[in-house]
Amino acid sequence: MRTFAAKNKMKARKAIETLAISTKVVLPNDTNTLGNLFGGQLLAWMDVIASVSAHRHCRRVVVTASVNNVSFNAPIPHSSIVTLEAKVSRAFNSSMEVFVDVFVENPVTGNRFKANEAIYTFVAVDQNGGPIQVPEIIPETDEEKERYNGALRRKQLALILAGKMKASEAHELKKLFLADA
């Protein structure tokens, strides 16, 4: 007979299972005075698609805990087609790191390039808003593995900067900087 704990053990999910894609057209009301997409509008689009990815991973309500990094590498002009691709890069106890890649397509030529990226952290919550455990993630591709490994270093750095971890405890970060760690 299986125990309650065995029945409710969370099944790890492949990173690809968390993929969420959204495509938008940059309309006039989405642009600034230079005719480019407002950064705040792009942040909103990224937050929504990242939350869908996090939800797909844990199948629970998720809330944005932080926007860890946003790179606005290229302006996105009016009438561009914008495709946002989000995927969970790593799951911790109750939190998930989600990478968002932003691609821009010229509507006339069809040329597509990566313009931006962001890293969000979401926390799965119960009906009272308290954090709950999430399943592990299984990275398969080289990019997924690279992002998975980097997520632990990013988390350790964030904990150190927040005063929640001592630098001496950040073993993954030490490996980057100290040959004998």
Side-chain angles (χ1 to χ4, degrees):
M1 177 177 223
R2 294 174 55 190
T3 66
F4 177 80
K7 281 194 248 180
N8 290 301
K9 182 173 175 161
M10 286 184 236
K11 183 177 180 250
R13 287 202 172 83
K14 295 178 181 179
I16 192 65
E17 294 177 73
T18 71
L19 179 64
I21 301 173
S22 177
T23 303
K24 309 277 188 182
V25 175
V26 179
L27 300 173
N29 63 326
D30 298 324
T31 63
N32 60 25
T33 54
L34 298 174
N36 295 316
L37 179 63
F38 278 116
Q41 181 61 61
L42 181 58
L43 285 169
W45 290 348
M46 288 189 293
D47 191 40
V48 170
I49 198 66
S51 71
V52 171
S53 177
H55 175 81
R56 283 186 175 159
H57 179 64
C58 64
R59 295 294 174 190
R60 298 301 295 256
V61 173
V62 296
V63 294
T64 308
S66 65
V67 180
N68 306 333
N69 180 60
V70 178
S71 298
F72 294 106
N73 297 323
I76 301 175
H78 167 259
S79 78
S80 294
I81 298 168
V82 179
T83 301
L84 302 103
E85 298 181 4
K87 195 186 304 180
V88 173
S89 52
R90 189 156 186 165
F92 295 96
N93 186 35
S94 61
S95 66
M96 296 153 281
E97 181 188 86
V98 181
F99 248 85
V100 181
D101 295 306
V102 178
F103 300 94
V104 176
E105 179 182 335
N106 180 303
V108 177
T109 66
N111 291 336
R112 178 181 149 137
F113 67 95
K114 184 174 172 180
N116 307 87
E117 69 179 19
I119 303 171
Y120 281 72
T121 298
F122 284 83
V123 173
V125 296
D126 62 18
Q127 64 275 14
N128 298 316
I132 55 173
Q133 190 173 0
V134 298
E136 292 181 35
I137 196 87
I138 302 167
E140 296 180 299
T141 68
D142 288 342
E143 180 182 67
E144 289 169 358
K145 290 174 184 175
E146 181 181 323
R147 289 178 174 183
Y148 177 89
N149 292 329
L152 182 55
R153 293 188 294 271
R154 287 185 289 275
K155 181 173 180 150
Q156 288 180 350
L157 180 58
L159 290 170
I160 291 167
L161 293 173
K164 296 179 179 180
M165 176 184 243
K166 293 179 183 174
S168 61
E169 298 170 351
H171 302 295
E172 288 300 311
L173 287 175
K174 284 167 84 175
K175 288 179 191 176
L176 286 177
F177 298 107
L178 304 173
D180 59 349

